[in-house]
Amino acid sequence: MKKKINSSLISVFNKEGLDEIVRLLDKQGVKIISTGGTAEFIRKLKIPVMEVETITNFPAVFGGRVKTLQPQIFGGILNRRDNPDDQKEKQKHKIEDIDLVIVDLYPFEETLAKGGSGEEIIEKIDIGGISLIRAAAKNFNDVVVVSSKYQYEELRNILERGSETTLEERKKFASQAFEVTSKYDTAIRGYFQGVSKTPFDKKELRYGENPHQKANFIGNLEESFIQLHGKELSYNNLIDTEAAIAVVSDFEKPAFAIVKHMNTCGLAISKEKELHKAYVKAYNADPISAFGGILAANRKIEEGIAILIREQKLFVEVIIAPEFSDRALDILKGKKDCRILKWQNPILPQKQMRTCFTGMLTQDRDSHIEILTDLKSVTKRPPTESETNDLLVAALATKHLKSNAIALVKDGALISMGCGQTSRIDALKQAVDKAARFGLTLTGAVMSSEAFFPFPDCVELAAKSGITAVIHPGGSKNDQASIDMADKYNIAMVTTGFRHFKH
């Protein structure tokens, strides 16, 4: 059922992007109610605004701790428009409807992270704002709630077409609002429990890598993602999903990755607004391994990609992205068991740990990303600009493959890969054979190895397969033999000085 927005309440700490929303509301003839600094901000835009105090007949008190906690405000939000008793009470007490609530929360987590004093941290615990958000979200049948500046784009799209919202839109905003309040309350709880970040919870999983192994997750998954659809995540789902996020988050450009058993079997980058092209290239690298894999993107997944996945009848364990369009989400939810995850700028621990004998091994996460200045040309022919761009993609691809690893890349896409082999030449043979099976040409492709070449055999096979440029760390006492082999076939070779073993 559609509802018209006639009145709004706006009270935000962060004013970024608010001006455009306010102007659209004014254009649609929506009455604007506001508080303190937000009201002043709106007045400076020369847009009419009504202060909350003129409705409540009560000033802000206790240093602003109490501003909106009044029946005239909450009654305007919570009254049920289709409930006769509510409407009689509304008229009796002269309460006016509030159809849109735009409220964010005091920056509690930011103040905590910056090392604020105890008093500063406590003052950043929002009371009125979180109450308004929960009230509006509860009454989503009648009210639209916008609880973050990141939702302004969606609200702007609605206001540009008019001032009516659908039940589906209001329910989506409500769901996002409860995500915001849940995360906020969890952070506050962590502070009072003496934990600087969100406290760890222990979650029992169905089983570990295999059904006969028991498993638990200790931590808070909501720090990294929100599950929008699908079955409960398994042990294998979680480690594969983390591996997939690690891949795409290493890229600044739009990237799409397909991961299977913690190895990248499909990967491609694209221009902005062309993520669907990256998905097609990633899928084409290995359609067989894509079945039962993890799909990950570092940009919004739109309808086009969802339609392709449906048409391919691809069985997917997990799809994770920072955002999904409404239509894409509807299509993907047609896959009953597929876990759909919205990532929350996931935190990847900077320390890695694993058990070893009766103790623990720890190490820093491999966070190095090769850049142009890392590349040292060691052959007679330097790489072209196009080859250089592909070499940087290939270097990141091998970083996320189990050793020994080889990645073959062309035009910003992984063509083939070989990994988990006990010799480097076997990893390359695996990659070359795989490309041939899928009918993919290696002519003009580049090759990356996550460690140096102990012998020149890999470079020779690469040249005979059509590969024109190679990237590797270098550092072998036999480096010159590989360089000489590259020069023999006019291959460009660069070294980086960074090894990326992965066991």
Side-chain angles (χ1 to χ4, degrees), residues 13 38 99 120 172 187 192 235 278 285 292 302 314-315 365 382 385 429 440 487 497:
F13 187 88
T38 308
D99 308 310
E120 289 171 333
K172 180 182 177 182
F192 279 98
Y235 179 95
E302 301 279 4
L314 182 63
F315 168 64
R365 177 177 290 276
E385 182 180 355
K429 287 177 179 177
L440 302 172
D487 282 334

Side-chain angles (χ1 to χ4, degrees), residues 135-386:
K138 177 177 180 177
N139 200 23
F140 68 87
N141 275 320
D142 300 306
V143 180
V144 183
V145 57
V146 175
S147 51
S148 166
K149 65 180 181 180
Y150 299 111
Q151 296 159 15
Y152 285 178
E153 182 180 359
E154 196 166 350
L155 177 62
R156 185 174 65 246
N157 293 337
I158 291 170
L159 294 174
E160 284 175 347
R161 71 167 191 246
S163 60
E164 288 187 330
T165 60
T166 65
L167 178 61
E168 182 181 5
E169 287 169 337
R170 295 191 299 277
K171 191 171 184 179
K172 180 182 177 182
F173 278 119
S175 173
Q176 293 170 337
F178 283 121
E179 283 182 29
V180 169
T181 60
S182 174
K183 185 173 181 290
Y184 195 76
D185 283 339
T186 302
I188 294 170
R189 182 188 72 178
Y191 171 72
F192 279 98
Q193 290 179 342
V195 182
S196 61
K197 293 186 180 292
T198 306
F200 286 165
D201 294 321
K202 182 176 179 181
K203 177 181 174 61
E204 185 175 350
L205 304 175
R206 284 192 299 157
Y207 52 79
E209 285 188 274
N210 300 291
H212 63 275
Q213 295 173 268
K214 292 183 178 180
N216 294 286
F217 176 82
I218 301 171
N220 190 336
L221 291 173
E222 288 185 0
E223 283 189 319
S224 297
F225 59 79
I226 298 295
Q227 184 164 353
L228 305 177
H229 176 74
K231 295 196 300 186
E232 183 180 358
L233 288 153
S234 70
Y235 179 95
N236 292 331
N237 291 154
L238 289 170
I239 58 175
D240 282 345
T241 300
E242 185 194 37
I245 289 176
V247 176
V248 295
S249 62
D250 267 357
F251 289 93
E252 290 184 2
K253 291 184 177 180
F256 207 108
I258 303 174
V259 169
K260 192 79 169 284
H261 300 306
M262 296 184 70
N263 285 305
T264 309
C265 57
L267 172 66
I269 61 173
S270 70
K271 296 178 181 178
E272 293 292 345
K273 307 294 184 183
E274 293 185 1
L275 186 66
H276 63 286
K277 292 183 180 180
Y279 170 70
V280 171
K281 288 182 177 180
Y283 175 81
N284 287 341
D286 190 346
I288 293 176
S289 294
F291 183 87
I294 310 294
L295 273 55
N298 63 359
R299 295 292 192 279
K300 182 179 183 178
I301 290 183
E302 301 279 4
E303 178 181 1
I305 293 174
I307 289 173
L308 274 175
I309 294 170
R310 182 176 65 187
E311 290 176 347
Q312 291 161 344
K313 297 181 179 178
L314 182 63
F315 168 64
V316 180
E317 287 281 355
V318 176
I319 302 176
I320 185 163
E323 194 176 356
F324 298 83
S325 73
D326 291 345
R327 182 63 184 140
L329 196 56
D330 287 342
I331 293 169
L332 294 172
K333 283 182 176 179
K335 293 181 172 292
K336 180 183 174 183
D337 295 331
C338 177
R339 295 99 169 158
I340 303 174
L341 310 179
K342 176 184 175 184
W343 73 349
Q344 307 270 77
N345 293 319
I347 300 166
L348 298 176
Q350 293 308 300
K351 287 286 185 182
Q352 295 176 310
M353 295 178 285
R354 64 192 299 175
T355 58
C356 183
F357 295 107
T358 58
M360 298 282 291
L361 287 172
T362 71
Q363 68 169 354
D364 294 337
R365 177 177 290 276
D366 182 0
S367 58
H368 183 76
I369 298 173
E370 275 73 17
I371 58 176
L372 193 60
T373 54
D374 290 327
L375 309 189
K376 178 185 177 183
S377 180
V378 294
T379 47
K380 293 176 182 177
R381 182 177 78 81
T384 65
E385 182 180 355
S386 175

